[in-house]
Every structure is written in C-alpha cells, then in structure tokens.
Amino acid sequence: MRKIQVVSASNCRNCELLYEVVSTIVRKKNLDAKVEKVLDVKEVIKYGVMTTPLLVVDGELKHAGTPIPSPQELEELIGV
Amino acid sequence: MFKLYELLADYLVYGLLGLEKGSHPASALHFFVYDTLKIFTLLVLVIFFISFLRSYFPLEKTRRVLSKHRAISLPLAGFLGVLTPFCSCSAVPMFIGFVEAGIPLGAAFTFLVASPMVNEIAIGLLLSILGLRVTLLYIAFGMLVAIVAGFLIERFNPRELIESYVFELKLGETREKELSLEERVDFSLSNVREILGKVWMYIVVAIGIGAFLHGYVPQNLVESVSREAGIFGVPLVVLLGIPLYSNAAGVLPVIQPLIEKGIPVGTALALMMSVTALSFPEFVILKQIMKVRLIAIFAGIVGISIIAVGYLFNLIY
C-alpha cells in the first residue's frame, strides 16, 4: 500500500483543500493508498521547504506551496 | 476604459428595467452593476500581474538574499516582503527558515508584516476602488509600518520569547526552481483562479452592501457618525480589523460609498492594513513558536504603527 501525506505546519484552508482533493482522487481511482494529514512544522522543515502545504508520496516530496496543483496535475504527481 | 461598463449599466438600469434616474433603487442597482464589472475586471488583471511578478521572488530566494545582506536586512525585508508571495499558514516554517539562515529576528518580523499586507486582493481592490495614488501610498506606508515594527521588536529581546526548538531545526539546502515563461503564466493563471474562487462571493456581497449604502444611506448620516467617532475613528477600525481574516479585505467595496460620503481615506486604509497584517488566525499559528507575550508585543507595535499611519494619511488627504 502506498502512503500519501499532506504535510503542513498548521491546519490552514489550503491543506484542507489539498487533503480533500487527494482523498477524492484515491477514492475515485480505487488506489491502494492511505492518505494522511500531518500537521507538524518539524516535518515541513525536514523536506527543506518553507511554503505549505506539502504533498509527499511514499516519502518523496512532490509539491510544496500554493497555488495547489489542479486535480489532473495531482493525479500525475501521485502517479495514477 | 470603463466607459463601456457605464453604458452597459445605464442600459440595464434605465433602459431595460426602466428605473427612474436618481431614484434610490436605480442608484443602488447602477452602482452594483458597474462596480461588479469594474472590480472583477481589475481583480483578474491585478492578481495575474502581481502573481507573475511574484513568481520571480520565491521565498527561498528572498531568504538567500536577506541572509547575504544582513546589515540592511530591515529595509530589504520590507521591500522583498512586498514582492514575495506568502500565505499565513507558512508563517512558522518561514520563520524557522529565516532564523536558521541567520537573518535578524527584526527582519523576519518585518517580512511577516509586509508580505501579507501587500496581497493580491488588497491591491486589486484598492486600485479599482481608490485609485493608483492611494494604492501606491498604501504600499509605501505598508513597508514603512513593517520596517518600523521590525526595528522596534528587536529592542524587546525577542529571542528569549521564542521557543528554543526554532533555533535548533535545520532546513538544510533549499531548492530554487527555475520556471519557464510558460510556467510563470500558468502559475499566475491558477493563482487568479484560486484566489477569486475563494473570495468572489464575499466581494459580490460586499459590493451589494456597498450599493445599498450608496443608494439609500444619506450623506449627512455618515458624516455625523464620522464626526462623532472623531479622532477615535482610526484606532477603532484597527481593533475592528484584528478578528477579520485577510480575505475580509473584500470588505473594501462596503467602505467605498462611505468614503464618498465622508469617512476619511486614512481611516479606511488603517482598517485595510489591520485586516491584512494583524489577523487572529495568524496569532494562533505563531503561538506554536513564540510566547504569547511576544505575539502581544508584535500586535501592539504593528497596531500602533498602523494607527499612526492612519492619522498621517488623514492629515495629508
């Protein structure tokens, strides 16, 4: 099972949005993946970025900051 | 440029609906149609332009430049803050990244004030409602408030009021992505979509309320309220701005008819600055890394600076 994480320092509107869109993609495409939200600034810093939210797929940083990629772009980033 | 919109509003209100020129409903509806068209046209253009400009100043680059020029970091942080895109939910990692790069704490606070104050929505609305001159003054005074606030906060020995782990975390090598022209245009377009998607409804409602005020509220009422508030007007609106989140910059269309009817421009600008630079949700976010006392000092200094700017503006205008 793959691990998809939405990482941010605090629960802002943008990470809420990213989490929802990613969850919808996983549900719609029936992916064998677990989506989780990680709210910890230390996790953000670990990936060497300052802009949130982050999209991390299996430990690899795929996107950071706003604007959030479109659902199509997100599908590509997740690797559907 | 907006003559066409004026004609369109004329046609709709006086022609199609046959409302009587000068009556309350005609005046309100005309204001609503014209303002909605004008404000959204300008917002699309301004958000696109600012996003495009800001795509050249990612946070990582600003951090690198500030850490290289520490001696002039205060004014530089004010200037770069205006140009760097920023979302208050990134405030904590930004702060940690700045501290780690050896950027003075005062400059980090200056950035924290300047960057949200000059945001796309605020500038777009200021430009479409109050014009270029007031917008440029807003940006200049915004930078001034940010620099003064950063300078003053340094005097309060902020290091002791910041959680120790902030000084221990290591961000390491950050990446600065080089974007192609096409990617910058894409970035700007999706910014327009994202920002307007979030706030369009507030703005339409605000224009609606503004239109009602324009059409129905008599000038002498606004003037007398404004006179009653007197010199307390500015601090009053700064306090009012704190619980409102930055998106509430959408309130500006409500203020426009009030300015026409006698609320001083400086008071309106102070409200705008307070809404964008002082936000309660941001204080909650900052609490992760600093003591409440420092947040109070920060809010106090920024608030007082905004009040001073509001008075200054009312003097000039």
Side-chain angles (χ1 to χ4, degrees), chain B residues 94-163:
Chain B
M94 167 246 123
F95 207 90
I96 292 173
F98 275 29
V99 166
E100 194 208 341
I103 296 166
L105 286 173
F109 277 106
T110 292
F111 182 88
L112 209 56
V113 177
S115 195
M117 199 174 317
V118 183
N119 72 58
E120 295 88 341
I121 282 288
I123 298 304
L125 287 171
L126 277 172
L127 204 60
S128 51
I129 291 172
L130 297 175
L132 183 64
R133 200 177 122 91
V134 175
T135 309
L136 291 177
L137 283 170
Y138 173 85
I139 296 174
F141 279 116
M143 281 200 298
L144 186 71
V145 164
I147 294 166
V148 168
F151 176 79
L152 290 177
I153 286 171
E154 286 230 319
R155 316 290 119 189
F156 282 87
N157 205 1
R159 207 182 164 92
E160 284 176 5
L161 299 171
I162 293 174
E163 300 291 341

Side-chain angles (χ1 to χ4, degrees), chain B residues 178-195:
Chain B
E178 256 319 304
L179 297 172
S180 67
L181 186 67
E182 201 190 329
E183 282 172 315
R184 288 183 204 283
V185 172
D186 271 351
F187 165 81
S188 310
L189 284 176
S190 47
N191 236 354
V192 171
R193 251 196 315 272
E194 189 174 309
I195 294 175

